Amino acid sequence: MQRGLITVAGNIKFQMQGCGLSSNLTPEDIRFYLMYWDKIIIPTNNLIHFGIPDEEDLISSKALWRPRTSHVGRFSGHELGEAIIKGQSEIAELMLKDSKTD
């Protein structure tokens, strides 16, 4: 049985006039995660994509999965954060159905 971790690749800081975005995963964070989990799952979506260090290498070695969720409509401020959380929830529900993943 494989063990996986669902996480985010960036921070969204909500401000009075919009939001600020920043990446928060370091190469050290990724290596730490891989010491304890077989796979890192970082959903992305059609609204925003945060790249992570060594992304292509991690994907090709199957240590990282970047599933893409789609959202329709207009999004602003807090709705962007809600869309990201919704995408994570969709992927978590999908993984719960997989008997090979814990």
Side-chain angles (χ1 to χ4, degrees):
M1 181 168 295
Q2 287 198 338
R3 298 190 62 141
L5 167 72
I6 300 173
T7 188
V8 295
N11 289 327
I12 300 175
K13 183 177 181 182
F14 300 103
Q15 302 163 346
M16 293 298 287
Q17 297 179 351
C19 59
L21 308 171
S22 65
S23 181
N24 67 336
L25 282 179
T26 66
E28 291 79 18
D29 292 331
I30 295 166
R31 288 179 185 86
F32 176 81
Y33 291 159
L34 289 172
M35 285 176 43
Y36 296 97
W37 292 281
D38 300 307
K39 183 173 279 194
I40 303 169
I41 303 166
I42 304 175
T44 187
N45 60 58
N46 60 313
L47 303 175
I48 188 166
H49 175 85
F50 287 99
I52 64 164
D54 304 318
E55 183 170 336
E56 294 304 318
D57 291 335
L58 292 164
I59 290 171
S60 66
S61 67
K62 301 190 190 279
L64 174 65
W65 182 36
R66 298 294 313 258
R68 182 180 169 100
T69 58
S70 294
H71 305 282
V72 179
R74 299 180 76 176
F75 293 85
S76 65
H78 70 281
E79 296 169 329
L80 182 61
E82 291 172 5
I84 290 170
I85 298 298
K86 182 180 177 204
Q88 285 183 310
S89 297
E90 290 172 7
I91 300 304
E93 288 175 14
L94 178 69
M95 298 310 295
L96 285 173
K97 295 176 184 175
D98 185 358
S99 63
K100 296 178 184 173
T101 304
D102 185 21

